[in-house]
Amino acid sequence: MTPANLADTVLSAARAVFETRGLDLAALPATTAVERPRNPEHGDYASTLALQLGKKVGVAPRELAAALAEELGRRAGIKSVEIAGPGFLNIRLDAAVTGTIARTVVEAGAAYGRNSKLAGQRINLEFVSANPTGPIHLGHTRWAAVGDSLRRVLTAAGAEVTSEYYINDAGAQVDRFARSLYAAANGQPAPDDGYGGDYIGEIAQQILGEEPELAGRPAQDALPVFWARGYQLMLSEIRQSLERFGVHFDVWFSEKDLHDGGSVEHAIDTLRKQGHIFEHEGAIWLRTTDFGDDKDRVLIRSNGEKTYFAADAAYYINKRERGFDRCVYLLGADHHGYIGRLKAIAACAGDDPGQNIEILIGQLVNLVRGGQPVRLSKRAGNIITLDELLEAVGADAARYSLARSSTDSTLTLDIEEITRHSSDNPVFYVQYAHARIASLLRNAAEKGIARAGDYDPALLSHEREKNLLKTLGEFPAVVATAAELREPHRIAVYLEERVATDYHRFYDACQVLPRGDEAPTEFTQPRLWLAEATRTVIANGLDLLGVSAPERM
RNA sequence: GCGCUCGUAGCUCAGCGGAUAGAGCACCGGACUUCUAAUCCGAUGGUCGCAGGUUCGAAUCCUGCCGGGCGCGCCA
């Protein structure tokens, strides 16, 4: 029995109690959950349903709990139900019932953990969207890791997800980039408002190598070439870096295409029809203050140029017209000022800003080196690129350390620590558990022991076996919660603090395979099933984080 | 100034209103002729920034204050 099954049982018992007592059935929630008590004396699972419902229906929680306990105690598989404190229900299950979780997991295989929490939702997930004027650096990397995991988690929860990278290729930034390339190609210093990293010189040289005749050509002729080719090379470098990082985008969306294709005009028309456009001092404005923004925003400047904001509006409207119910944006805390205006765009377009648009703000990454803060600055040249990070620690460790903590907290990474003590990284703790199981299964095969078609679940009765089983049973709920709250780090926390820990403890206490030439025992089969179930959960969980599950370490 | 956000062990971080607040690192002490010791077991370490409020119950929700980060352009 999984926790979800048990929760359903609790709810159905509650329904029976309500019916016999003539209580208001409408007070019952649609779903409930059981929790794993920290204290083992509180049973295998606990329900707080009586506590939550007591006041609602005017029955003392303990009295309601007593009725629930009696009803629940009659259900199959439930060994005992105790009432504790103000009205907790502490539930104990028959060992065999918990033992079947291994079979549930193994039979579901790679699908174990998938659920239908977000079934039917069409989600557009935009993240990174770094300007194509330089390499992906550490500032973007957290969103790459988190965003891609979120894509996987949302998909696992049944949503139809499109991940998208918005390329800011229409504004002054790429012009500056082109001028910087031109300057470098001609041996001149970078313009004051330009880019000065080493990569500028490298790209300039590559372009010159392809088209030597560009050298010495006037800016007027050469700039468009540097613009087009430079942009192409830079974007392709960004894509390759992200690819190496295991980060996948379904759509690379060009801002320039938005302008060239008339989408901006179309968006302004749409917004005008909704009645939120006005003209002031020669500029076209969107009255975003109607919907809580601090100030109204210019769409078309008095000189006729469309603003970046106009493209934002067009992009949002474009996403909606492509059929996405929810447009999710993953932005760094330095962009939190965008929340108001983006929500206002949705509202001005006639959408529900609480439903159709969702802006996730994540805190930034701080870097320290040996405890001393490192200021990331392009000018100072101490930007750490994604490629450098990958070279130093590898994709698995990088992704894991960036995805394992909540984006609500600023993350502090010590460069010395992640580059030097990489074996301390908790990702190895999780991966090691997987590798240990893989090794175990190889040894079993060598001994000629195959996992049988079935096992006796009642034999998985050791305290550490039961803990591990219960933990494995929680995985679908962990995935569902991570998806619902957009918090993929919950997967990492679960794998690290629960699954890997419980497996290592089980492994420490319970011999799986016969030693030497001994014959298999009655525990061999159930434990092989449990090991395989654990391997499945770790592999599925790591996959949601975009981290590999190694067979050997 | 206005707004957003964060504040949990020495450090890095978990903890979607539940029972005695947890883990890793660091520090101290144990466990490998036995399925991978990248592991396990134990010890040490806390006014959950502060003060009120909501409630059967608050690290969690609300208000105020203190401290850190960030944002407030017809910039991109």
Side-chain angles (χ1 to χ4, degrees), chain A residues 248-544:
Chain A
H248 172 73
F249 287 96
D250 298 310
V251 175
W252 292 75
F253 200 98
S254 154
E255 181 191 359
K256 195 163 175 297
D257 286 353
L258 213 47
H259 286 285
D260 295 349
S263 296
V264 177
E265 287 80 2
H266 169 69
I268 292 174
D269 278 353
T270 302
L271 294 165
R272 195 189 307 275
K273 279 181 197 137
Q274 293 287 330
H276 304 291
I277 299 279
F278 68 99
E279 218 165 301
H280 178 65
E281 292 180 354
I284 307 288
W285 296 67
L286 184 64
R287 202 181 302 280
T288 52
T289 51
D290 285 349
F291 299 104
D293 196 9
D294 332 342
K295 57 195 72 171
D296 292 324
R297 306 286 168 179
V298 173
L299 290 163
I300 302 180
R301 289 193 256 162
S302 48
N303 66 7
E305 275 180 49
K306 296 170 185 95
T307 61
Y308 187 85
F309 176 74
D312 282 344
Y315 188 27
Y316 170 76
I317 287 168
N318 173 284
K319 285 176 182 172
R320 294 281 291 136
E321 287 176 351
R322 279 187 281 147
F324 296 106
D325 320 315
R326 294 190 95 95
C327 300
V328 179
Y329 295 70
L330 230 181
L331 301 177
D334 51 339
H335 286 80
H336 70 245
Y338 283 42
I339 299 175
R341 71 191 73 164
L342 285 171
K343 291 246 170 201
I345 288 171
C348 287
D351 286 342
D352 176 358
Q355 191 69 33
N356 303 117
I357 190 165
E358 195 176 320
I359 296 136
L360 307 176
I361 295 298
Q363 302 302 307
L364 304 175
V365 177
N366 287 325
L367 263 197
V368 296
R369 195 190 302 269
Q372 294 303 307
V374 177
R375 260 328 252 192
L376 290 178
S377 133
K378 283 190 189 177
R379 190 157 307 181
N382 57 1
I383 290 286
I384 300 218
T385 65
L386 172 53
D387 289 343
E388 287 163 350
L389 182 69
L390 287 182
E391 189 146 334
V393 302
D396 283 345
R399 280 195 71 141
Y400 194 86
S401 26
L402 288 165
R404 74 189 276 262
S405 52
S406 160
T407 54
D408 282 346
S409 51
T410 52
L411 191 58
T412 303
L413 292 182
D414 192 313
I415 300 175
E416 278 185 17
E417 207 155 288
I418 59 179
T419 54
R420 203 183 52 207
H421 303 306
S422 60
S423 64
D424 287 341
N425 194 304
V427 71
F428 296 117
Y429 182 76
V430 179
Q431 288 184 316
Y432 181 59
H434 186 273
R436 253 184 161 182
I437 299 170
S439 165
L440 182 79
L441 299 175
R442 279 194 303 271
N443 292 343
E446 270 177 33
K447 284 174 186 280
I449 303 172
R451 188 163 49 75
D454 207 354
Y455 65 99
D456 180 357
L459 291 173
L460 293 172
S461 59
H462 191 283
E463 198 54 36
R464 294 191 179 177
E465 290 172 326
K466 289 201 290 184
N467 279 334
L468 177 55
L469 285 160
K470 284 186 271 184
T471 291
L472 298 181
E474 290 169 31
F475 186 52
V478 170
V479 176
T481 303
E484 201 177 11
L485 300 178
R486 283 74 162 117
E487 293 185 347
H489 77 279
R490 286 169 183 276
I491 306 291
V493 171
Y494 166 77
L495 290 179
E496 182 177 325
E497 294 185 3
R498 317 293 302 287
V499 184
T501 298
D502 284 349
Y503 181 76
H504 287 309
R505 285 180 182 161
F506 154 76
Y507 184 88
D508 184 62
C510 304
Q511 182 74 23
V512 178
L513 299 176
R515 298 160 200 254
D517 296 329
E518 292 170 19
T521 71
E522 57 179 349
F523 295 111
T524 303
Q525 278 301 327
R527 288 177 177 170
L528 269 179
W529 274 80
L530 180 54
E532 174 60 21
T534 307
R535 197 201 59 72
T536 302
V537 170
I538 295 177
N540 294 359
L542 286 176
D543 183 62
L544 292 176

Side-chain angles (χ1 to χ4, degrees), chain A residues 130 132 165 167 169 230-240 252:
Chain A
Y165 186 118
I167 313 163
D169 54 3
Y231 165 78
Q232 209 174 21
L233 289 170
M234 196 69 249
L235 194 62
S236 127
E237 195 179 315
I238 288 172
R239 291 174 80 138
Q240 283 168 28
W252 292 75

Side-chain angles (χ1 to χ4, degrees), chain A residues 125-309:
Chain A
L125 181 62
E126 183 196 331
F127 56 101
V128 183
S129 296
N131 281 340
T133 53
I136 295 285
H137 58 74
L138 200 59
H140 309 118
T141 302
R142 187 178 198 182
W143 318 128
V146 171
D148 187 68
S149 289
L150 185 55
R151 173 180 71 78
R152 294 163 189 249
V153 166
L154 294 173
T155 304
E160 189 185 317
V161 186
T162 296
S163 60
E164 206 148 315
Y165 186 118
Y166 183 52
I167 313 163
N168 298 122
D169 54 3
Q173 300 287 10
V174 271
D175 293 340
R176 288 175 194 167
F177 174 63
R179 289 205 307 277
S180 304
L181 292 177
Y182 175 77
N186 289 286
Q188 296 159 2
D192 287 346
D193 61 354
Y195 298 90
D198 291 343
Y199 68 95
I200 292 288
E202 288 161 17
I203 293 175
Q205 284 312 313
Q206 184 174 345
I207 295 173
L208 277 184
E210 291 169 357
E211 302 191 41
E213 71 277 12
L214 275 177
R217 294 275 294 278
Q220 194 181 328
D221 298 342
L223 266 178
V225 181
F226 280 107
W227 195 105
R229 187 62 185 139
Y231 165 78
Q232 209 174 21
L233 289 170
M234 196 69 249
L235 194 62
S236 127
E237 195 179 315
I238 288 172
R239 291 174 80 138
Q240 283 168 28
S241 297
L242 289 168
E243 205 63 43
R244 275 195 293 275
F245 199 41
V247 173
H248 172 73
F249 287 96
D250 298 310
V251 175
W252 292 75
F253 200 98
S254 154
E255 181 191 359
K256 195 163 175 297
D257 286 353
L258 213 47
H259 286 285
D260 295 349
S263 296
V264 177
E265 287 80 2
H266 169 69
I268 292 174
D269 278 353
T270 302
L271 294 165
R272 195 189 307 275
K273 279 181 197 137
Q274 293 287 330
H276 304 291
I277 299 279
F278 68 99
E279 218 165 301
H280 178 65
E281 292 180 354
I284 307 288
W285 296 67
L286 184 64
R287 202 181 302 280
T288 52
T289 51
D290 285 349
F291 299 104
D293 196 9
D294 332 342
K295 57 195 72 171
D296 292 324
R297 306 286 168 179
V298 173
L299 290 163
I300 302 180
R301 289 193 256 162
S302 48
N303 66 7
E305 275 180 49
K306 296 170 185 95
T307 61
Y308 187 85
F309 176 74

Side-chain angles (χ1 to χ4, degrees), chain A residues 23 53-61 63:
Chain A
L23 298 172
L53 293 176
K55 177 164 268 185
K56 257 186 174 173
V57 296
V59 179
E63 188 189 333

